[in-house]
């Protein structure tokens, strides 16, 4: 009789016990509130919009924007993902035109020169797009179409130093030359924005 009891106890602890633990864990996990994707997107959007509006005001810019890299379709016939970017956030001053709708699902290779430079150097400074002595990294025609006289671009990277987007500062009404301290502060702002974006993407 004692041996049967021992077998029953061993069966309960060895088989039913672990199943019961898994069952309880699943019930508890299901009881946890799931993140609201739409609400989270709205919150991070509000945070970043407020951030770039503050940047525009502090640096007296006419347009500040954020683009993010993403997948967009696949190559035929390999099926490999096509790297693209979209302008997800933008703020403009009174009298400045918006360019956000013009930069949606853009293949990265169309701007390979500027993107490669940002990947390696983190910053592009163009205080005067009409000055032939200043490198524009293939962005001159975009500046002409968007009415940009001076432009500054900063890479947005995550904590692992992966390139996830770009922050742009545009001056459309008059040229503006930012100094070393200005650019240093803007790189810090770009890092903060990178942290906010990754917190949202990792949820």
């Amino acid at each position: 009789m004692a041996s049967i009891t021992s077998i029953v106890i061993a069966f309960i602890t060895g088989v039913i016990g672990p199943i019961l633990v898994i069952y309880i864990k699943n019930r508890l996990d299901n009881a946890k509130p799931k993140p609201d994707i739409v609400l989270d997107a709205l919150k991070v959007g509000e945070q970043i919009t407020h951030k770039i509006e503050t940047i525009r005001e502090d640096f007296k810019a006419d347009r500040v924007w954020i683009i993010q890299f993403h997948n967009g379709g696949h190559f035929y016939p390999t099926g490999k993902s096509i790297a693209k970017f979209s302008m997800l956030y933008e703020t403009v001053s009174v009298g400045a035109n918006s360019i956000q709708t013009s930069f949606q699902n853009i293949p990265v290779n169309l701007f390979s020169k500027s993107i490669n430079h940002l990947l390696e150097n983190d910053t592009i400074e163009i205080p005067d797009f009409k000055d032939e002595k200043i490198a524009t990294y293939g962005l001159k025609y975009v500046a002409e179409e968007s009415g940009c006289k001076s432009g500054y671009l900063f890479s947005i990277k995550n904590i692992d130093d992966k390139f996830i987007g770009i922050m742009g500062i545009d001056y459309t009404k008059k040229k503006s030359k930012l100094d070393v301290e200005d650019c240093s502060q803007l790189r810090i702002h770009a890092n903060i924005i990178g942290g906010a974006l990754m917190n949202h993407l990792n949820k």
Side-chain angles (χ1 to χ4, degrees), residues 167-180:
M167 179 178 76
I169 316 294
D170 294 346
Y171 293 86
T172 64
K173 296 169 185 173
K174 63 179 181 179
K175 294 180 292 184
S176 181
K177 183 173 178 57
L178 300 182
D179 59 26
V180 174

Side-chain angles (χ1 to χ4, degrees), residues 48 71 73 82 122 143:
I48 293 176
N71 292 331
I82 302 171
D122 292 328

Side-chain angles (χ1 to χ4, degrees), residues 3-198:
S3 60
I4 295 175
T5 302
S6 299
I7 292 171
V8 171
I9 293 172
F11 176 78
I12 292 173
T13 56
V15 179
I16 297 179
I19 294 174
L20 186 60
V21 169
I22 293 171
Y23 173 77
I24 294 172
K25 182 180 183 300
N26 288 338
R27 289 296 299 270
L28 290 173
D29 288 342
N30 290 332
K32 292 178 181 177
K34 290 181 170 49
D36 188 320
I37 297 174
V38 174
L39 183 60
D40 287 344
L42 291 173
K43 283 182 177 179
V44 74
E46 185 178 354
Q47 291 172 2
I48 293 176
T49 298
H50 175 72
K51 183 70 174 174
I52 62 176
E53 284 176 348
T54 301
I55 291 170
R56 180 174 57 77
E57 292 170 359
D58 289 348
F59 291 88
K60 298 179 174 57
D62 298 305
R63 186 169 53 222
V64 179
W65 45 265
I66 302 292
I67 67 171
Q68 281 183 259
F69 300 116
H70 58 84
N71 292 331
H74 299 84
F75 286 105
Y76 178 82
T78 64
K80 186 176 180 180
S81 294
I82 302 171
K84 293 187 176 183
F85 68 79
S86 294
M87 188 176 292
L88 299 186
Y89 307 97
E90 180 195 44
T91 177
V92 298
S93 64
V94 176
N97 62 314
S98 170
I99 60 173
Q100 186 171 13
T101 56
S102 300
F103 290 91
Q104 301 298 319
N105 293 307
I106 306 297
V108 166
N109 65 290
L110 294 181
F111 292 87
S112 58
K113 192 171 184 179
S114 55
I115 290 174
N116 277 326
H117 184 83
L118 285 169
L119 179 63
E120 298 296 329
N121 301 281
D122 292 328
T123 307
I124 289 177
E125 301 176 38
I126 310 172
D128 185 357
F129 271 102
K130 290 187 177 181
D131 189 337
E132 298 294 336
K133 298 188 294 294
I134 298 175
T136 56
Y137 305 97
L139 299 173
K140 189 170 185 177
Y141 80 94
V142 177
E144 290 173 350
E145 290 182 355
S146 63
C148 183
K149 292 179 170 58
S150 302
Y152 300 83
L153 284 70
F154 302 87
S155 64
I156 297 174
K157 296 182 178 180
N158 66 6
I159 194 170
D160 298 319
D161 205 38
K162 290 183 179 178
F163 194 12
I164 62 171
I166 300 170
M167 179 178 76
I169 316 294
D170 294 346
Y171 293 86
T172 64
K173 296 169 185 173
K174 63 179 181 179
K175 294 180 292 184
S176 181
K177 183 173 178 57
L178 300 182
D179 59 26
V180 174
E181 180 61 28
D182 290 332
C183 290
S184 178
Q185 289 181 26
L186 286 166
R187 277 191 290 271
I188 293 171
H189 287 306
N191 289 336
I192 293 171
I193 289 171
L197 290 174
M198 288 311 299

